Amino acid sequence: MVCINNINEKDDSENVNYNVKGYPVYIRKSCLSRYPNYSCISHWHEDLEFIIVLSGSMRYNVNGEIIDIMEGNGIFVNSRRFHYGYSENATECEFVCILLHPSLFCVNEYFENLYINPIIGNEQKNYLRLEQQIAWQQQIIFLLKEIYENNKQHFDILTIQQQIFTLWKILYSYFPIQKNNLKSNRQLTVVKDMVTFIQSHYKEKISLNMIADSGKVCKSSCSALFQKYLSQTPITYLTKYRLNKSLDLLFSTDMQVTEISYEVGFSNASYYAETFKKYYHCTPKEYVKIHKN
C-alpha cells in the first residue's frame, strides 16, 4: 500500500516514490492507523506489490474482491490492478509493503516474453495469497522479510536484485500461467478513467455528474462501478483523496490549515477540519504532532 503520489502522464497510473531514485524498488514498513479510518486509498500502478502482515490482520481489496490477510501471511498483487488494504473494525495492523517495477526483471525481450509477461499479462489472476503453511509461499515471505531487513540496515542493490530474482523464480514456478491473454476488462478501464479524472481535478469543484461523464457512463453506473471495484462511493473516494493530498502539505510545507483546505479542493476550512476529524479522529495539527516522526 504505497502512499498516493502524482499521476503518470504516460498511462494515468500512479508514480511511486522509490527508495533510491533510478532504481524502481519501494520498501516501507507502515501501519493502518496512518490512514483515514484505517483504510488506504484505492490505487493502481504498474509495479508489482507484495504485502507481509507483521502483526494484527487486514482485509485487502483487489479489483473488488476481498481477501483476509492474517499475521505472518501476505499477498502478491499483480500489475495494474486496483487495490487497497483496510480494517473494518479500525484495529491496528503493522505490515511491510514492497513494490517492484517489472523492468527489474527484464534482462532482454526474449526473457521478458518467456518469464515476465505470462504473469503480469495474466488478466485472470489479479493476486496470489502468501501463506506460511505452504512451503513455497513461506519461501517468498522469508525473502520479502530479508529484502526489508537488508533495506533497514543498508540499501545494498546487488543483494536486493539477487533476492528479487530468487523470489521471481519461485513465483514463476507456481503461478498459474495464462497462454492466451484475454481482452482487458472494459469496466475496469472505465473505473480507471474516472479515478484518473478525480486525481487530476481534485482541487476543483467536482460533482457526481462530472465523474460519471469522465467515464462516459450515467450516474447510477458510475456509483455501481465504484462500489463494485473500490467498495465506496465516488464522492467518498474524492474526499479520501483530498485528505490524503492534504497530508502531504501538512508535513512538507508551512501552509496554514485554511490555505491547505482550499488547495486540496475543500469549500472552506471548517468543513475540511470537520471531515479530517471524522476520518482521522483528531485535528490536522494534532495529527502532525502525533506523526511528525
Side-chain angles (χ1 to χ4, degrees), residues 196-209:
T196 298
F197 173 79
I198 289 173
Q199 294 177 352
S200 300
H201 298 274
Y202 70 93
K203 296 182 180 182
E204 306 162 20
K205 187 176 181 180
I206 297 179
S207 66
L208 180 58
N209 266 330

Side-chain angles (χ1 to χ4, degrees), residues 156-169:
D156 183 347
I157 290 178
L158 281 177
T159 301
I160 290 175
Q161 191 69 35
Q162 181 186 38
Q163 291 166 329
I164 286 171
F165 269 104
T166 303
L167 183 154
W168 193 260
K169 182 181 179 182

